[in-house]
Amino acid sequence: MKWLALGLALVAPSEAGLRFGCATLSVQRLDPLVEPGQVPSGHVHQIVGGNYFNATMDPSIDVGEKGTCTTCSFSEDFSNYWTAVLYFKRRDGMYKRVPQYANAQLEGATKGMTIYYTQLDFNGNGNEKITSFKPGFRMTVGSPLTNSKEQATKNVGLRYTCLQTILTRGAETPDFPKAPCPAGIMAIHHFPACWDGKNLDSPNHQDHMFDTTKGGFRVAGPCPSTHPVRMPQVAYETMWNTTQFNDKSMWPTDGSQPFVWSTGDGKGYGTHGDYLFGWKGDSLQRAMDSTCMFSACGAKTGVLKTQSAAAQNSCAVKNTVVEDIGEDDWIPALPGVH
Ligand SMILES: *[C@@H]1O[C@H](CO)[C@@H](O)[C@H](O)[C@H]1NC(C)=O
Ligand SMILES: *[C@@H]1O[C@H](CO)[C@@H](O)[C@H](O)[C@H]1NC(C)=O
């Protein structure tokens, strides 16, 4: 039997998974995917990744060749990852931006997001080849227009976890937690992973992809014939540190919860994420074809190049949109939202 197992190991595509931190690159009102060229865009975003990020990012440009620094621990990853920003709305109607912290299990980034590129599930590929995204590829998941619990519940990849400690996982909800969370709120975004094999984008930034995610990192369903190409399963986890706002004397008197996305969404149903591919050369395909898991894809195996925490945390872009986003002080309205 030994030869059989060996033979299978040789033909079966390998089962790699990436999990890494990307520090904050910028927090501002720009959205090169949904509102290209619009300065400022409709609402505030937190962006991580490569420094080629700007108001316009033409799909014909290979971002992986253009970036000169990245906030990600894997230094060949110049992709951009972004979500809306969480705000606290005080009893008197004033807003402040909720600060943010990095995954306690990862070294490097001091703030930002945890990024995953897994396969069919957390660490298996179901014997399928995982095809890397191509230069110019982009997609979104979720929509700021989603406004019902029913619809939000169906988006199984978009969830919140009320953090009892910085290591709490599981117990996911489709809406914002209703009571104070001692260590903050984790926002989770799982993207679709089945591609139509043709389009780098589509008018709504979603139709070129198909979602077979079952939620969490469970085994995904098979890709349909319309979207037959299995790509890496991209996911974001973002830790919002709500602890300075957990004093209920600041919360609304009607008992509702006070956290609100930068879009103005106070339920959490409109959570969404944006992805713009920018790995250099064949680096992401190399990682997906290897057998390394998480940080072992770096120095330990040499599959991917890594950089120091200092390099990661010092990469940034200058703000194109300069305005008070309520970071250190209270503001009367969410930027761009009326
Ligand atoms: C970003 O775009 C703006 C306006 O489109 C331009 O003025 C600015 O120079 C660009 N920034 C960088 C760093 O290229
Ligand atoms: C969260 O914020 C509190 C209060 O500002 C701070 O004491 C704590 O260190 C922060 N937690 C993390 C994990 O950064």
Side-chain angles (χ1 to χ4, degrees):
M1 283 312 281
K2 201 174 176 192
W3 62 269
L4 182 62
L6 238 171
L8 280 175
L10 286 175
V11 295
S14 52
E15 313 198 339
L18 301 179
R19 179 183 71 170
F20 56 99
C22 297
T24 304
L25 177 79
S26 180
V27 180
Q28 60 174 321
R29 275 202 290 150
L30 284 188
D31 191 338
L33 213 175
V34 178
E35 299 171 278
Q38 195 172 316
V39 181
S41 69
H43 54 263
V44 182
H45 288 123
Q46 168 179 238
I47 305 116
V48 307
N51 69 338
Y52 193 69
F53 182 83
N54 205 346
T56 302
M57 295 175 75
D58 195 284
S60 66
I61 289 169
D62 185 348
V63 168
E65 300 301 325
K66 291 284 188 182
T68 55
C69 73
T70 172
T71 68
C72 299
S73 57
F74 291 122
S75 56
E76 291 156 289
D77 183 13
F78 298 94
S79 305
N80 287 118
Y81 311 90
W82 66 96
T83 72
V85 167
L86 198 64
Y87 279 85
F88 174 73
K89 186 179 184 182
R90 203 167 56 184
R91 185 173 284 189
D92 64 0
M94 298 288 279
Y95 296 90
K96 198 167 179 193
R97 180 157 80 88
V98 177
Q100 205 265 300
Y101 64 88
N103 186 328
Q105 290 175 303
L106 298 178
E107 288 171 15
T110 51
K111 291 191 274 188
M113 296 192 221
T114 307
I115 305 295
Y116 292 83
Y117 287 80
T118 57
Q119 303 203 347
L120 192 62
D121 59 31
F122 204 56
N123 56 7
N125 58 22
N127 286 341
E128 277 182 86
K129 163 92 178 170
I130 307 294
T131 304
S132 169
F133 308 104
K134 306 212 168 346
F137 180 89
R138 61 263 322 262
M139 63 178 161
T140 64
V141 67
S143 164
L145 303 177
T146 302
N147 60 8
S148 76
K149 182 156 188 167
E150 192 191 358
Q151 215 182 336
T153 304
K154 282 187 200 147
N155 295 335
V156 292
L158 307 180
R159 290 291 182 262
Y160 302 93
T161 295
C162 182
L163 300 169
Q164 303 305 316
T165 75
I166 54 173
L167 296 175
T168 305
R169 293 297 182 273
E172 300 179 350
T173 58
D175 48 2
F176 287 134
K178 299 201 169 35
C181 302
I185 297 172
M186 177 165 73
I188 303 158
H189 297 90
H190 292 268
F191 282 75
C194 299
W195 183 40
D196 69 8
K198 293 192 268 292
N199 298 297
L200 298 175
D201 196 3
S202 47
N204 65 2
H205 314 292
Q206 301 195 343
D207 286 349
H208 58 314
M209 295 298 286
F210 191 91
D211 201 357
T212 63
T213 314
K214 297 267 172 69
F217 287 95
R218 283 189 279 280
V219 184
C223 288
S225 59
T226 52
H227 295 75
V229 184
R230 184 160 290 282
M231 307 190 90
Q233 170 65 63
V234 175
Y236 308 166
E237 288 173 349
T238 314
M239 319 299 250
W240 298 101
N241 187 353
T242 57
T243 57
Q244 64 172 291
F245 307 111
N246 282 351
D247 173 359
K248 286 200 90 170
S249 70
M250 297 196 291
W251 285 38
T253 47
D254 67 2
S256 59
Q257 75 79 35
F259 294 99
V260 52
W261 281 124
S262 49
T263 54
D265 169 16
K267 299 285 191 198
Y269 304 149
T271 183
H272 60 286
D274 296 61
Y275 174 76
L276 202 146
F277 172 81
W279 285 80
K280 195 176 175 67
D282 70 345
S283 50
L284 180 60
Q285 189 65 62
R286 224 164 55 221
M288 289 294 112
D289 290 345
S290 77
T291 53
C292 61
M293 284 301 285
F294 300 162
S295 60
C297 295
K300 195 170 171 201
T301 56
V303 173
L304 292 173
K305 294 184 182 132
T306 57
Q307 62 179 345
S308 69
Q312 205 182 336
N313 288 304
S314 63
C315 180
V317 295
K318 276 212 188 90
N319 274 2
T320 301
V321 179
V322 181
E323 63 182 346
D324 185 356
I325 56 166
E327 183 172 7
D328 304 312
D329 54 347
W330 295 89
I331 50 175
L334 295 168
V337 178
H338 307 288

